[in-house]
Amino acid sequence: MSAEPQEEAAEALNREIEDLKTRVASLKKDIKLQTTTLLSSESMRTALRVVNPEPSPIPLPFIEDPNRERVLARSKEQDAHDQQNLYRTCATITTFKVQDPDPNAVDRGNVLGIRIELMLDARFRRPFYVMLNRPYKDSRSLRVHRHTVPPCIPLSGLAARYLPAPRPADAERQTTQDLSRFVRTLRREIVRYHNRVAVISDLQKAASARAAGQEDEEAERALVSISAADIEAKQIGLEWADGRSGRLLMTEDGQIQKVVVLGVNGRDREVTRELLDDSRRVEDVAKRLAGT
């Protein structure tokens, strides 16, 4: 038997193994989903709460069913998980108290913590935290102590606007703080930033899928690279296979503000019109590139 048929048989076997692995992973995912659906159903919870569904005239000793106990424990875990998801979805901003362990901390170590929840792509992201304390003497005004907010979010500007430092007692006008508005505005900025990052990712996927399905002549004019061009993800860098490059500017909410495409002979308005068409938002460009 020659080496070539053996290699073909080995490749076919490897493909079959990979296909089986993919199917097994898909089946495991389906089983997990169906299990979660069953455990979350009201009929299943009612059935698990019933110990003796058929009463007997003769008292019988209770026999513990290990399978039932395992399902009951899993159902309780699912209830707790559902309750946590509901809480995180409805209460996207929560507060809590923290005690600073530093013996020299201001305000006897009292710290107000703010947790900001965020969900994207049907998944909860890692929460963002802002810690506030009261470092000002004879004042209950707050100041940002620590935080986990990304540097691209203008936290210091928001704090200066909504949590200004108190003025001297003899000042003509005193400052007022608005903690509620500060937190709401901060969360809106965080959500906007993550939405911009997500839409850039959608553009990348749509452009890659479109380039893969194009023929040789079309592939030479394909959009091959899309990436964020600034830390705030408000500018998108564009590159084509034939050497053209461009820049797309969008607003905080994803509205297309301006698009410039440069080729060998300067600004290329034809490609700009081809890219945008009637799109007003970056999501519209991604959908058009994806062909949806």
Side-chain angles (χ1 to χ4, degrees):
M1 188 174 182
S2 61
E4 187 173 346
Q6 289 181 351
E7 292 179 358
E8 293 179 356
E11 290 180 0
L13 183 60
N14 289 333
R15 287 195 298 269
E16 186 176 353
I17 292 174
E18 291 298 326
D19 182 57
L20 289 174
K21 288 181 179 179
T22 303
R23 292 172 61 185
V24 168
S26 178
L27 288 174
K28 287 182 177 179
K29 187 176 180 180
D30 290 342
I31 291 174
K32 187 176 180 180
L33 177 61
Q34 296 297 334
T35 302
T36 302
T37 304
L38 286 173
L39 292 174
S40 301
S41 64
E42 189 62 30
S43 58
M44 176 63 73
R45 294 174 180 175
T46 303
L48 290 173
R49 285 195 294 266
V50 178
V51 180
N52 293 316
E54 297 181 359
S56 174
I58 302 175
L60 299 175
F62 175 73
I63 301 176
E64 185 175 346
D65 186 357
N67 293 328
R68 180 183 178 279
E69 294 300 323
R70 283 198 297 268
V71 174
L72 185 60
R74 182 71 182 276
S75 177
K76 291 180 179 179
E77 292 177 0
Q78 185 64 40
D79 286 345
H81 181 70
D82 293 344
Q83 185 178 9
Q84 181 184 12
N85 287 344
L86 180 63
Y87 173 79
R88 295 179 69 180
T89 303
C90 298
T92 56
I93 299 174
T94 52
T95 59
F96 55 94
K97 293 182 179 180
V98 181
Q99 184 64 37
D100 193 335
D102 186 357
N104 299 319
V106 299
D107 194 24
R108 293 176 293 181
N110 294 319
V111 177
L112 175 64
I114 299 174
R115 181 191 297 108
I116 300 176
E117 300 280 1
L118 185 67
M119 175 183 279
L120 287 174
D121 298 330
R123 291 179 178 271
F124 285 108
R125 302 301 180 181
R126 180 177 296 179
F128 297 96
Y129 295 92
V130 178
M131 305 297 175
L132 306 170
N133 60 7
R134 292 191 174 102
Y136 308 109
K137 187 177 180 180
D138 300 329
S139 175
R140 296 183 61 82
S141 297
L142 296 167
R143 184 191 66 177
V144 176
H145 177 53
R146 295 283 189 273
H147 68 87
T148 62
V149 178
C152 56
I153 305 298
L155 177 63
S156 58
L158 296 177
R161 182 176 182 180
Y162 298 112
L163 301 177
R167 295 176 180 175
D170 56 351
E172 183 177 350
R173 295 182 59 185
Q174 294 294 329
T175 59
T176 57
Q177 294 189 340
D178 192 341
L179 179 60
S180 177
R181 195 169 180 183
F182 165 75
V183 175
R184 291 199 308 268
T185 307
L186 176 59
R187 185 183 183 278
R188 184 170 64 246
E189 291 293 333
I190 293 174
V191 171
R192 285 174 172 175
Y193 167 72
H194 281 84
N195 286 340
R196 293 195 298 269
V197 173
V199 78
I200 293 175
S201 177
D202 292 340
L203 273 177
Q204 293 171 337
K205 294 176 183 177
S208 299
R210 183 167 183 171
Q214 290 178 335
E215 299 179 356
D216 294 340
E217 295 182 0
E218 295 178 343
E220 294 178 357
R221 294 170 52 88
L223 187 60
V224 295
S225 177
I226 299 176
S227 60
D230 66 329
I231 191 173
E232 294 182 338
K234 293 181 180 179
Q235 301 183 26
I236 304 176
L238 309 170
E239 293 183 9
W240 280 261
D242 58 2
R244 285 172 297 178
S245 62
R247 184 67 58 92
L248 186 151
L249 277 66
M250 61 176 162
T251 63
E252 297 175 345
D253 296 324
Q255 295 279 352
I256 298 175
Q257 196 170 17
K258 189 176 182 180
V259 179
V260 176
V261 179
L262 298 177
V264 179
N265 300 322
R267 189 167 181 177
D268 196 330
R269 300 182 185 276
E270 180 182 352
V271 175
T272 303
R273 288 192 296 269
E274 180 183 344
L275 176 66
L276 293 182
D277 197 18
D278 295 330
S279 303
R280 296 181 179 272
R281 298 183 58 84
V282 182
E283 294 95 323
D284 299 334
V285 179
K287 291 178 181 178
R288 200 174 61 79
L289 289 176
T292 58

Coordinates of all heavy atoms in Angstrom, one line a residue, residues 93-100 105-116 128-136 139-149 155-156 158-160 162-165 177-184 186:
I93 N -26.9 49.5 39.1 CA -26.0 50.3 40.0 C -26.4 50.0 41.4 O -27.5 50.2 41.8 CB -26.2 51.8 39.7 CG1 -25.8 52.1 38.2 CG2 -25.4 52.7 40.6 CD1 -26.1 53.5 37.8
T94 N -25.4 49.6 42.2 CA -25.6 49.3 43.6 C -24.5 50.0 44.4 O -23.4 50.2 43.9 CB -25.6 47.8 43.9 OG1 -24.5 47.2 43.3 CG2 -26.9 47.1 43.2
T95 N -24.9 50.2 45.7 CA -23.9 50.8 46.6 C -23.6 49.9 47.8 O -24.5 49.0 48.1 CB -24.4 52.2 47.1 OG1 -25.7 52.0 47.8 CG2 -24.6 53.1 46.0
F96 N -22.5 50.0 48.4 CA -22.1 49.2 49.5 C -21.1 50.0 50.3 O -20.4 50.9 49.8 CB -21.6 47.8 49.1 CG -20.4 47.9 48.2 CD1 -19.1 47.9 48.6 CD2 -20.6 48.0 46.8 CE1 -18.0 47.9 47.8 CE2 -19.6 48.1 45.9 CZ -18.3 48.1 46.4
K97 N -20.9 49.6 51.6 CA -20.0 50.2 52.5 C -18.7 49.4 52.6 O -18.7 48.2 52.6 CB -20.6 50.4 53.9 CG -21.8 51.4 53.9 CD -22.3 51.6 55.3 CE -23.4 52.6 55.4 NZ -23.9 52.8 56.8
V98 N -17.6 50.1 52.7 CA -16.3 49.5 52.8 C -15.5 50.1 53.9 O -15.6 51.4 54.1 CB -15.5 49.6 51.4 CG1 -14.1 48.9 51.6 CG2 -16.3 49.0 50.3
Q99 N -14.8 49.4 54.6 CA -13.9 49.9 55.7 C -12.5 49.9 55.3 O -11.9 48.8 55.0 CB -14.1 49.1 57.0 CG -13.4 49.6 58.2 CD -13.9 51.0 58.6 OE1 -15.1 51.2 58.6 NE2 -13.0 51.8 59.1
D100 N -11.9 51.0 55.2 CA -10.5 51.1 54.8 C -9.6 50.6 56.0 O -9.7 51.1 57.1 CB -10.1 52.6 54.5 CG -8.8 52.7 53.8 OD1 -8.0 51.8 53.9 OD2 -8.6 53.7 53.1
A105 N -6.5 56.4 57.7 CA -7.5 56.8 56.6 C -8.4 57.9 57.1 O -8.7 58.1 58.2 CB -8.3 55.6 56.2
V106 N -8.8 58.7 56.1 CA -9.7 59.9 56.4 C -11.1 59.3 56.8 O -11.5 58.2 56.4 CB -9.8 60.8 55.2 CG1 -8.4 61.4 54.9 CG2 -10.3 60.2 54.0
D107 N -11.8 60.1 57.5 CA -13.2 59.8 57.9 C -13.3 58.5 58.6 O -14.2 57.7 58.3 CB -14.1 59.9 56.7 CG -15.6 59.9 57.0 OD1 -15.9 60.3 58.2 OD2 -16.4 59.5 56.2
R108 N -12.3 58.2 59.4 CA -12.2 56.9 60.1 C -12.3 55.7 59.2 O -12.8 54.6 59.6 CB -13.3 56.9 61.2 CG -13.1 57.9 62.3 CD -14.2 57.9 63.3 NE -15.5 58.4 62.7 CZ -16.6 58.5 63.3 NH1 -16.7 58.2 64.6 NH2 -17.7 59.0 62.7
G109 N -11.9 55.8 58.0 CA -11.9 54.6 57.1 C -13.2 54.3 56.4 O -13.3 53.3 55.8
N110 N -14.2 55.2 56.6 CA -15.5 54.9 55.9 C -15.4 55.2 54.4 O -15.0 56.3 54.0 CB -16.6 55.8 56.6 CG -16.8 55.4 58.0 OD1 -16.8 54.2 58.3 ND2 -17.0 56.4 58.9
V111 N -15.7 54.2 53.6 CA -15.7 54.4 52.2 C -17.0 53.9 51.6 O -17.6 52.9 52.0 CB -14.5 53.5 51.6 CG1 -14.6 53.6 50.0 CG2 -13.2 54.0 52.1
L112 N -17.5 54.7 50.7 CA -18.8 54.3 50.0 C -18.4 53.7 48.6 O -17.7 54.3 47.8 CB -19.7 55.5 49.7 CG -20.9 55.3 48.9 CD1 -21.9 54.4 49.6 CD2 -21.6 56.6 48.6
G113 N -18.8 52.5 48.4 CA -18.5 51.8 47.2 C -19.7 51.8 46.2 O -20.9 51.7 46.6
I114 N -19.4 52.0 44.9 CA -20.5 51.9 43.9 C -20.1 50.9 42.9 O -19.0 50.9 42.4 CB -20.6 53.3 43.2 CG1 -21.0 54.4 44.2 CG2 -21.6 53.2 42.1 CD1 -21.0 55.8 43.7
R115 N -21.0 50.0 42.6 CA -20.8 48.9 41.7 C -21.7 49.1 40.4 O -22.9 49.4 40.6 CB -21.2 47.5 42.3 CG -20.9 46.3 41.3 CD -21.6 45.1 41.9 NE -20.9 44.7 43.2 CZ -21.5 44.8 44.3 NH1 -22.8 45.3 44.4 NH2 -20.9 44.4 45.4
I116 N -21.1 49.1 39.3 CA -21.8 49.4 38.0 C -21.7 48.1 37.2 O -20.6 47.6 36.8 CB -21.1 50.5 37.2 CG1 -21.2 51.8 38.1 CG2 -21.8 50.7 35.9 CD1 -20.5 53.0 37.4
F128 N -17.7 47.4 37.3 CA -16.8 48.5 37.5 C -17.1 49.0 38.9 O -18.2 49.1 39.3 CB -16.9 49.6 36.5 CG -16.6 49.1 35.1 CD1 -17.6 48.6 34.2 CD2 -15.3 49.1 34.6 CE1 -17.2 48.2 32.9 CE2 -14.9 48.7 33.4 CZ -15.9 48.2 32.5
Y129 N -16.0 49.4 39.6 CA -16.2 49.9 41.0 C -15.6 51.3 41.1 O -14.6 51.7 40.5 CB -15.5 49.0 42.0 CG -16.0 47.6 42.0 CD1 -15.5 46.6 41.2 CD2 -17.1 47.3 42.9 CE1 -16.1 45.3 41.3 CE2 -17.6 46.0 42.9 CZ -17.1 45.0 42.1 OH -17.7 43.8 42.2
V130 N -16.3 52.1 41.9 CA -15.9 53.5 42.2 C -16.0 53.6 43.7 O -17.1 53.4 44.3 CB -16.7 54.6 41.5 CG1 -16.2 56.0 41.9 CG2 -16.6 54.4 40.0
M131 N -14.9 54.0 44.4 CA -14.8 54.1 45.8 C -14.8 55.6 46.2 O -13.9 56.4 45.6 CB -13.6 53.4 46.4 CG -13.6 51.9 46.1 SD -15.0 51.0 46.7 CE -14.6 49.4 46.0
L132 N -15.7 56.1 47.1 CA -15.7 57.5 47.4 C -15.5 57.6 49.0 O -15.9 56.7 49.7 CB -17.1 58.0 47.1 CG -17.6 57.9 45.6 CD1 -19.0 58.3 45.5 CD2 -16.7 58.7 44.7
N133 N -14.8 58.7 49.3 CA -14.7 59.0 50.8 C -14.9 60.5 51.0 O -15.2 61.2 50.1 CB -13.3 58.6 51.2 CG -12.2 59.3 50.5 OD1 -12.4 60.2 49.7 ND2 -10.9 58.9 50.7
R134 N -14.8 60.8 52.3 CA -15.1 62.2 52.7 C -13.8 62.8 53.3 O -13.6 62.7 54.5 CB -16.2 62.3 53.7 CG -17.6 62.0 53.1 CD -18.7 62.4 54.0 NE -20.0 62.2 53.5 CZ -20.8 61.1 53.7 NH1 -20.4 60.2 54.6 NH2 -22.0 61.1 53.2
P135 N -12.9 63.3 52.5 CA -11.6 63.8 53.0 C -11.7 65.3 53.5 O -10.7 65.8 54.1 CB -10.7 63.7 51.8 CG -11.6 64.0 50.7 CD -12.9 63.4 51.0
Y136 N -12.8 65.9 53.3 CA -12.8 67.4 53.6 C -13.3 67.6 55.0 O -14.3 67.0 55.5 CB -13.8 68.1 52.6 CG -13.5 67.8 51.2 CD1 -14.4 67.0 50.4 CD2 -12.4 68.3 50.6 CE1 -14.1 66.7 49.1 CE2 -12.1 68.1 49.2 CZ -13.0 67.3 48.5 OH -12.7 67.0 47.2
S139 N -17.1 68.7 56.4 CA -18.0 68.7 55.2 C -18.3 67.2 54.9 O -17.5 66.3 55.1 CB -17.2 69.3 54.0 OG -18.0 69.2 52.8
R140 N -19.5 67.0 54.4 CA -19.9 65.7 53.9 C -19.8 65.5 52.4 O -20.3 64.5 51.9 CB -21.4 65.5 54.4 CG -21.6 65.5 55.9 CD -23.0 65.2 56.2 NE -23.5 63.9 55.8 CZ -23.2 62.7 56.4 NH1 -22.5 62.7 57.5 NH2 -23.6 61.6 55.9
S141 N -19.0 66.4 51.8 CA -18.8 66.2 50.4 C -17.9 65.0 50.1 O -17.0 64.7 50.8 CB -18.1 67.5 49.8 OG -19.0 68.6 50.0
L142 N -18.2 64.4 48.9 CA -17.5 63.2 48.6 C -16.4 63.4 47.5 O -16.4 64.5 46.8 CB -18.5 62.2 47.9 CG -19.6 61.6 48.9 CD1 -20.7 60.9 48.1 CD2 -19.0 60.7 49.9
R143 N -15.4 62.5 47.5 CA -14.4 62.6 46.5 C -14.0 61.2 46.0 O -14.1 60.2 46.8 CB -13.1 63.2 47.1 CG -12.0 63.4 46.2 CD -10.7 63.8 46.9 NE -10.2 62.7 47.7 CZ -9.1 62.7 48.4 NH1 -8.3 63.8 48.4 NH2 -8.7 61.7 49.1
V144 N -13.7 61.0 44.8 CA -13.3 59.7 44.2 C -12.0 59.3 44.9 O -11.0 60.0 44.8 CB -13.2 59.8 42.7 CG1 -12.7 58.4 42.2 CG2 -14.5 60.2 42.1
H145 N -12.0 58.1 45.5 CA -10.9 57.6 46.2 C -10.1 56.6 45.4 O -8.9 56.7 45.2 CB -11.3 57.0 47.6 CG -10.2 56.4 48.4 ND1 -9.1 57.0 48.7 CD2 -10.1 55.1 48.9 CE1 -8.3 56.2 49.4 NE2 -8.9 55.1 49.5
R146 N -10.8 55.6 44.9 CA -10.3 54.6 44.0 C -11.3 54.2 43.0 O -12.5 54.4 43.2 CB -9.8 53.3 44.8 CG -8.7 53.5 45.8 CD -7.4 53.6 45.1 NE -6.3 53.6 46.0 CZ -5.8 54.7 46.6 NH1 -6.3 55.9 46.4 NH2 -4.7 54.6 47.5
H147 N -10.9 53.6 41.9 CA -11.8 53.2 40.9 C -11.2 52.2 40.0 O -10.0 52.1 39.9 CB -12.4 54.4 40.1 CG -11.4 55.0 39.2 ND1 -11.1 54.6 37.9 CD2 -10.5 56.1 39.4 CE1 -10.2 55.3 37.4 NE2 -9.8 56.2 38.3
T148 N -12.0 51.4 39.2 CA -11.6 50.5 38.2 C -12.1 50.8 36.8 O -12.2 50.0 36.0 CB -12.0 49.0 38.6 OG1 -13.5 49.0 38.6 CG2 -11.5 48.6 39.9
V149 N -12.5 52.1 36.7 CA -13.0 52.6 35.4 C -11.9 52.7 34.4 O -10.8 53.1 34.7 CB -13.7 53.9 35.6 CG1 -14.2 54.5 34.3 CG2 -14.8 53.8 36.6
L155 N -13.6 60.1 33.8 CA -14.1 60.1 35.2 C -13.7 61.4 35.9 O -14.6 61.9 36.7 CB -13.5 58.9 35.9 CG -13.8 58.7 37.4 CD1 -15.3 58.5 37.5 CD2 -13.0 57.6 38.0
S156 N -12.5 61.9 35.7 CA -12.1 63.1 36.5 C -13.0 64.3 36.1 O -13.3 65.1 36.9 CB -10.6 63.4 36.2 OG -10.4 63.5 34.8
L158 N -16.1 64.1 35.0 CA -17.4 63.9 35.5 C -17.4 64.2 37.0 O -18.4 64.8 37.6 CB -17.9 62.5 35.3 CG -18.1 62.1 33.8 CD1 -18.5 60.6 33.7 CD2 -19.2 63.0 33.2
A159 N -16.3 63.8 37.7 CA -16.2 64.1 39.1 C -16.1 65.6 39.4 O -16.8 66.1 40.3 CB -15.0 63.4 39.7
A160 N -15.4 66.3 38.6 CA -15.3 67.8 38.7 C -16.6 68.5 38.5 O -16.9 69.5 39.1 CB -14.2 68.3 37.8
Y162 N -19.8 67.0 38.7 CA -21.0 66.6 39.6 C -20.6 66.4 41.1 O -21.4 66.4 41.9 CB -21.6 65.3 39.1 CG -22.2 65.4 37.7 CD1 -21.6 64.7 36.6 CD2 -23.3 66.2 37.5 CE1 -22.1 64.9 35.4 CE2 -23.8 66.3 36.2 CZ -23.2 65.6 35.2 OH -23.8 65.8 33.9
L163 N -19.3 66.3 41.3 CA -18.8 66.1 42.7 C -17.7 67.2 43.0 O -16.6 66.8 43.4 CB -18.2 64.7 43.0 CG -19.2 63.5 42.7 CD1 -18.5 62.2 43.0 CD2 -20.4 63.6 43.7
P164 N -18.0 68.4 42.8 CA -17.0 69.5 43.0 C -16.6 69.5 44.5 O -17.3 69.2 45.4 CB -17.6 70.8 42.6 CG -19.1 70.5 42.8 CD -19.3 69.0 42.5
A165 N -15.3 70.0 44.7 CA -14.8 70.1 46.1 C -15.5 71.3 46.8 O -15.9 72.3 46.1 CB -13.3 70.3 46.1
Q177 N -23.2 68.9 45.3 CA -22.8 67.7 44.7 C -24.1 66.9 44.3 O -25.1 67.0 45.0 CB -21.9 66.8 45.5 CG -20.6 67.4 45.8 CD -19.6 66.4 46.5 OE1 -20.1 65.5 47.1 NE2 -18.3 66.7 46.4
D178 N -24.0 66.2 43.2 CA -25.1 65.4 42.7 C -24.6 64.0 42.4 O -24.2 63.7 41.3 CB -25.7 66.0 41.4 CG -27.1 65.4 41.1 OD1 -27.3 64.3 41.5 OD2 -27.8 66.0 40.3
L179 N -24.6 63.2 43.4 CA -24.0 61.8 43.3 C -24.8 61.0 42.4 O -24.3 60.2 41.6 CB -24.0 61.2 44.7 CG -23.4 59.7 44.7 CD1 -22.0 59.6 44.2 CD2 -23.5 59.2 46.2
S180 N -26.1 61.1 42.4 CA -27.0 60.3 41.5 C -26.7 60.6 40.1 O -26.6 59.6 39.2 CB -28.5 60.5 41.9 OG -29.3 59.8 41.0
R181 N -26.6 61.8 39.7 CA -26.4 62.2 38.3 C -24.9 61.8 37.9 O -24.7 61.4 36.8 CB -26.6 63.7 38.2 CG -26.7 64.1 36.7 CD -27.1 65.5 36.6 NE -27.3 65.9 35.2 CZ -27.6 67.2 34.8 NH1 -27.9 68.1 35.8 NH2 -27.7 67.5 33.5
F182 N -24.0 61.9 38.8 CA -22.6 61.5 38.5 C -22.6 60.0 38.2 O -22.0 59.6 37.2 CB -21.7 61.7 39.8 CG -20.4 61.0 39.7 CD1 -19.4 61.5 38.9 CD2 -20.2 59.9 40.5 CE1 -18.2 60.8 38.8 CE2 -19.0 59.3 40.5 CZ -17.9 59.7 39.6
V183 N -23.3 59.2 38.9 CA -23.2 57.7 38.7 C -24.0 57.4 37.4 O -23.5 56.5 36.6 CB -23.8 57.0 39.9 CG1 -23.9 55.5 39.6 CG2 -23.0 57.2 41.1
R184 N -25.1 58.0 37.2 CA -25.9 57.7 35.9 C -25.1 58.1 34.7 O -25.0 57.4 33.7 CB -27.2 58.4 36.0 CG -28.2 57.9 37.0 CD -29.6 58.3 36.6 NE -29.7 59.8 36.4 CZ -30.0 60.7 37.4 NH1 -30.2 60.2 38.6 NH2 -30.1 62.0 37.1
L186 N -21.8 58.4 34.5 CA -20.7 57.5 34.4 C -21.0 56.2 33.8 O -20.3 55.7 32.9 CB -20.0 57.3 35.8 CG -18.9 56.3 35.9 CD1 -17.7 56.8 35.0 CD2 -18.4 56.2 37.3

